[in-house]
Amino acid sequence: MSERTPVSYLREGAVAFIEIDNPPVNALSAAVRQGLADAVARLADDPDARIAVLFCAGRTFIAGADISEFGKPPVPPFLPDVIAMIEASEKPVVAALHGTVLGGGLEVALGAHHRVALPGTRMGLPEVTLGLLPGAGGTQRLPRAIGLEAAIDLITSGRQIGAEEALTLGLIDALAKDTDARAAGDAAARRLLAEGRGPRRLSEADAPTVPSAGVEALRSTLARSARGQVAPLRALDTIVEGLAMPFAEGMAHERRAFMDLMQTPERAGLVHAFFAERRAAQQDDLTGVSPRRVDRIGIIGGGTMGQGIAAAALTAGLDVTLVERDDAAADKAAAGIGRMLEGAVKRGKLAADARERMLGQSFRAVASYDTLADADLVIEAVFENLEAKQEVFRTLGRVCRPGAVLATNTSYLDVNLIAEASGRPQDVIGLHFFSPANVMRLLEIVVADRTAPDVVATAFALARRMNKIGVRSGVCDGFIGNRMMLAYRTAADHMVLDGASPYEIDQAIVALGFPMGPYQVGDLAGLDIGHATRQRKAPTREPRERVPVFADRLVEAGRLGRKTGRGYYIYDDQTPQGRPDPEMAGALDGLRSELGIAPRRFAPEDIQARYMAAMVNEGAKILDEGIAARASDIDVVLLHGYGFPRWKGGPMHWADAQGLDRIAADIARFAQDDPYFWQVSPLLARLAAKGGTLADVNTGKDAT
Ligand code: 3HC
Ligand code: NAI
């Protein structure tokens, strides 16, 4: 049987239709590149063809190069050559665009001689978000099409634009009214033929001139925003330098830069993040399991989380009933949700009439559980207290219809114990949203011992509908994310006990690429939270466990962080983002001598090594225990919930890139001082010994 070709050529009268059909997103695999090259050759040889329409089957025009080929040896024909062939065609080629025309897809369109798009088409060059720059003429042709400033903006930001903006910028020639790309291309082709137009090549257009002062200003802005990333600045340089050269040299210059970036760890990290996010939704045990239908949801508790979840659910088109303790609390929650949606309207994310409709027709805040009788799914977000949650679930078990999904937003508590209270544990699951829930995309889906498979499937479907990234976790204290956070926070606290200042730690962690260090995060969240957890756990504390007494002292002194104007940092009108407290060093020294600790210095690299080793070690334990099914799921949690720098791919990817033997050796060294905290994960030790990687565990290749 011959292999199905992803590119077909069909002529009708004078018009040749070149169709790409490579689901799901028509990525430019080697077969597509070859198919395109063959089709262009056939166009030249076809005596009856006078013009061609290039279009795609399925949900989108080409969404870019095939990312799964990155990091592997390139296979000819190469995309820039294929695009050069299209552009060189003596017969005009019309690109008919729909869906998401991204990266190499847009570069193919720029190689065509005429571009028409369906309404709703989105376009962009997102290569920098993958640690790359456009490598098939984007840095050369886009500035020639839309001017320097707009091209630099699109290429260095990677942002997508809609068809209207593309028309205004001159990126497309026409916005079709059709809903069918082939028909739109056909109409445009016939118009061009009637007008007797020939090919119009961007490579032959004049390059825009580059004003050096403007570029310098842009450079310094980008240097600040790009932080640890090399691609945006390299893209800027490549555009500017390339435009000063003849087109062919500019293309070669671009290709060199593209291939250089392909070799960087940033590119590997960003591509890993891209696939890890998509892999998280793949659950082998749910194949063939249909999710339960969810249209109406209930939310119990309208505090910080309940409000955010309600706003996110309404925005996703769900009907929401929020239950609070009394009418006053219900009104307060409703007002908060109204403000959140108003904020979305102000930011242009939501239409004002849509907000009115949501609040008027799809939302109610009440003080009675009876209203939940017909809810399809209920999310509990009351205080973090087991008895309070069990009481709520007892009530839900009574009032909700059979088959309704009952979810808890608990951060740490045992979902099994909450599930039992409902009397129908098969319907219960953890849905751990992150704050602010209407903004943060992470959703930990906590599967308890008796959760039914179709309830898990329902949770993943809900995540997708709410535009969240669902990651599956088993039940343990803190699930994946908060358990990891506790580990690296503890490592940081130990360093402070032993001589580091919280400011040194924060600086070293920000230098790794995190937006904030752990003590800045602590001040933001409120220091009372960690204090309360320590109090709760004190009776069962292991004697060898080291307690961050300094943190408790701050809380006892009423220094709760930002909300009291003072925590680790001082927050006031002059320094709303906080400044170090000059009294901190003295207070810490006093405490250390009280505890009999001789302080020592920690270099930034020491701080980073301990912080990361603690994170990776805990991640390996989580993987080994089956709390996370694969290392990449852990990466997604840290990337989307804890500010882990995306271009490092996540802690598990980072660990593999560093070499697990090095990390295991670090842990063994740290354990000499504190063998209780630094217990190496057996999985990490095994993989380190045999030269394996945590990613191997993803695919079950780790047979140990
Ligand atoms: N290469 C390979 N696979 C791709 C892909 C690509 N460019 N884009 C998407 N896919 C795969 C996804 O991995 C996913 O696979 P799965 O079903 O096995 O998990 C499937 O296609 C569907 O993707 P999504 O789940 O993301 O579907 P959405 O409808 O939510 O989004 C999209 C579609 C907007 C196209 C989104 O997938 C996307 O942004 N893709 C990446 C686009 C991109 O970055 N292109 C530039 C590539 S770099 C380049 O072109 C270099 C050039 O300059 C030389
Ligand atoms: P919160 O204190 O802001 O809100 C709790 C709300 O629940 C209050 O408005 C209270 O009136 C209401 N409530 C209490 N008992 C109730 C009952 N029996 N019936 C109806 N309403 C009741 O708390 P927050 O921060 O929203 O947290 C809620 C849950 O979400 C907790 O389990 C917490 O651990 C979890 N969580 C919190 C995050 C955060 O950053 N705040 C992040 C992720 C999860």
Side-chain angles (χ1 to χ4, degrees):
M1 215 174 76
S2 69
E3 231 176 72
R4 203 185 120 279
T5 155
V7 183
S8 59
Y9 179 98
L10 180 83
R11 191 177 44 71
E12 283 177 13
V15 184
F17 292 93
I18 300 173
E19 179 180 17
I20 301 174
D21 185 6
N22 185 32
V25 297
N26 292 311
L28 288 155
S29 62
V32 171
R33 298 195 298 273
Q34 186 61 57
L36 273 175
D38 293 345
V40 175
R42 191 155 162 200
L43 172 68
D45 291 345
D46 184 343
D48 297 320
R50 291 172 54 210
I51 193 163
V53 174
L54 175 60
F55 73 104
C56 289
R59 65 207 233 205
T60 182
F61 191 78
I62 306 163
D66 187 337
I67 303 173
S68 63
E69 290 181 356
F70 290 178
K72 300 178 187 157
V75 177
F78 303 128
L79 189 56
D81 301 335
V82 174
I83 294 174
M85 281 178 70
I86 295 172
E87 196 185 48
S89 166
E90 292 300 330
K91 300 173 186 176
V93 178
V94 174
L97 313 176
H98 78 292
T100 41
V101 184
L102 302 175
L106 186 57
E107 291 173 301
V108 167
L110 287 165
H113 308 117
H114 187 88
R115 287 166 287 283
V116 54
L118 298 188
T121 307
R122 301 197 55 81
M123 286 161 249
L125 290 172
E127 283 86 345
V128 290
T129 65
L130 297 169
L132 292 167
L133 49 72
T139 67
Q140 287 293 306
R141 289 194 182 90
L142 188 68
R144 285 174 164 85
I146 65 173
L148 185 69
E149 209 179 319
I152 289 180
D153 167 37
L154 286 189
I155 291 172
T156 59
S157 71
R159 80 181 174 92
Q160 291 181 17
I161 57 171
E164 286 80 10
E165 190 176 349
L167 186 65
T168 314
L169 285 173
L171 178 53
I172 56 172
D173 301 289
L175 185 52
K177 292 200 174 57
D178 296 77
T179 51
D180 178 62
R182 187 186 196 274
D186 188 20
R190 288 179 198 286
R191 212 171 39 246
L192 292 181
L193 275 185
E195 291 167 8
R197 296 237 230 126
R200 185 196 43 169
R201 302 183 179 96
L202 280 169
S203 63
E204 293 167 2
D206 289 338
T209 47
V210 178
S212 56
V215 169
E216 269 324 299
L218 250 167
R219 197 154 216 294
S220 48
T221 315
L222 263 185
R224 270 195 306 278
S225 64
R227 304 183 68 212
Q229 301 182 74
V230 288
L233 279 171
R234 186 75 190 263
L236 176 65
D237 288 344
T238 307
I239 299 168
V240 169
E241 291 156 8
L243 290 178
M245 302 171 184
F247 182 82
E249 279 176 40
M251 285 294 292
H253 187 61
E254 174 194 89
R255 192 70 184 166
R256 276 192 299 276
F258 180 77
M259 296 314 272
D260 280 355
L261 289 176
M262 194 60 99
Q263 306 309 320
T264 60
E266 288 83 4
R267 193 278 304 158
L270 290 163
V271 167
H272 169 79
F274 177 84
F275 284 119
E277 284 160 2
R278 283 152 184 85
R279 200 179 300 126
Q282 289 163 14
Q283 303 293 322
D284 292 344
D285 62 332
L286 299 182
T287 311
V289 178
S290 302
R292 297 183 190 174
R293 191 189 160 108
V294 175
D295 292 316
R296 285 184 298 265
I297 73 162
I299 295 173
I300 317 288
T304 310
M305 293 308 290
Q307 289 182 24
I309 297 168
L314 286 168
T315 310
L318 292 157
D319 180 274
V320 176
T321 301
L322 186 140
V323 179
E324 254 293 349
R325 289 187 291 181
D326 50 45
D327 288 338
D331 291 346
K332 191 171 160 211
I337 294 161
R339 278 193 301 274
M340 282 184 194
L341 294 179
E342 186 54 38
V345 172
K346 288 211 177 96
R347 288 192 306 278
K349 302 254 178 212
L350 184 69
D353 57 341
R355 171 186 178 270
E356 293 314 313
R357 228 180 11 259
M358 283 172 197
L359 291 176
Q361 295 168 18
S362 310
F363 176 70
R364 61 218 64 82
V366 296
S368 154
Y369 280 63
D370 304 340
T371 44
L372 297 179
D374 63 353
D376 303 314
L377 180 144
V378 180
I379 303 169
E380 165 279 314
V382 306
F383 305 125
E384 184 74 347
N385 173 291
L386 184 61
E387 288 74 34
K389 290 192 190 281
Q390 286 176 319
E391 183 54 38
V392 168
F393 275 76
R394 264 191 287 280
T395 311
L396 291 176
R398 256 194 337 269
V399 303
C400 291
R401 67 165 175 77
V405 175
L406 309 179
T408 172
N409 186 46
T410 180
S411 305
Y412 289 95
L413 299 172
D414 186 339
V415 182
N416 285 312
L417 297 180
I418 296 172
E420 291 307 327
S422 71
R424 37 167 122 167
Q426 71 282 2
D427 293 333
V428 178
I429 194 161
L431 287 181
H432 185 215
F433 289 85
F434 285 68
S435 181
N438 55 328
V439 176
M440 298 285 280
R441 288 195 66 206
L442 181 62
L443 176 64
E444 278 182 321
I445 295 175
V446 185
V447 179
D449 292 349
R450 295 176 63 188
T451 309
D454 64 343
V455 170
V456 185
T458 308
F460 275 99
L462 181 73
R464 222 176 4 261
R465 176 144 177 206
M466 293 178 74
N467 193 26
K468 304 286 179 205
I469 302 180
V471 178
R472 184 171 180 161
S473 169
V475 177
C476 66
D477 197 13
F479 316 127
I480 298 173
N482 282 342
R483 179 170 157 184
M484 301 270 286
M485 181 173 75
L486 181 64
Y488 62 76
R489 271 299 311 249
T490 303
D493 288 347
H494 290 177
M495 287 187 273
V496 172
L497 281 171
D498 289 337
S501 90
Y503 314 122
E504 286 170 338
I505 302 233
D506 282 349
Q507 270 170 22
I509 300 315
V510 168
L512 274 178
F514 286 82
M516 281 189 233
Y519 297 102
Q520 290 162 316
V521 172
D523 273 0
L524 188 63
L527 301 182
D528 43 333
I529 296 179
H531 182 67
T533 312
R534 282 191 294 279
Q535 300 288 91
R536 185 158 49 84
K537 293 194 173 158
T540 56
R541 187 177 294 143
E542 231 299 316
R544 290 175 294 170
E545 197 177 317
R546 304 180 68 195
V547 182
V549 187
F550 58 90
D552 293 329
R553 295 241 171 122
L554 287 179
V555 175
E556 284 152 17
R559 295 175 59 162
L560 305 186
R562 282 194 185 213
K563 59 187 167 191
T564 56
R566 237 177 145 187
Y568 288 98
Y569 294 81
I570 297 173
Y571 304 87
D572 54 22
D573 290 345
Q574 287 100 53
T575 52
Q577 298 307 313
R579 67 171 182 279
D581 181 344
E583 291 170 17
M584 184 63 72
L588 284 171
D589 274 339
L591 176 71
R592 290 178 194 122
S593 66
E594 243 177 75
L595 297 172
I597 297 169
R600 61 192 174 96
R601 286 207 59 75
F602 287 86
E605 308 78 62
D606 296 337
I607 295 172
Q608 293 167 345
R610 283 170 185 263
Y611 198 78
M612 292 304 298
M615 196 181 307
V616 171
N617 199 35
E618 198 64 29
K621 289 178 188 172
I622 285 171
L623 198 54
D624 212 7
E625 290 166 26
I627 298 296
R630 46 198 163 203
S632 61
D633 284 358
I634 300 176
D635 287 337
V636 175
V637 169
L638 271 288
L639 290 174
H640 285 279
Y642 299 84
F644 196 98
R646 188 175 174 84
W647 61 96
K648 287 193 161 75
M652 311 311 264
H653 173 85
W654 178 88
D656 282 344
Q658 300 293 304
L660 299 184
D661 49 348
R662 216 178 98 187
I663 295 171
D666 276 351
I667 294 173
R669 194 159 44 82
F670 305 149
Q672 287 169 4
D673 298 332
D674 182 353
Y676 173 70
F677 179 71
W678 292 106
Q679 296 181 37
V680 69
S681 139
L683 173 68
L684 185 65
R686 279 201 307 276
L687 291 171
K690 67 173 193 186
T693 64
L694 290 159
D696 292 341
V697 185
N698 275 341
T699 51
K701 273 190 274 168
D702 177 57
T704 49

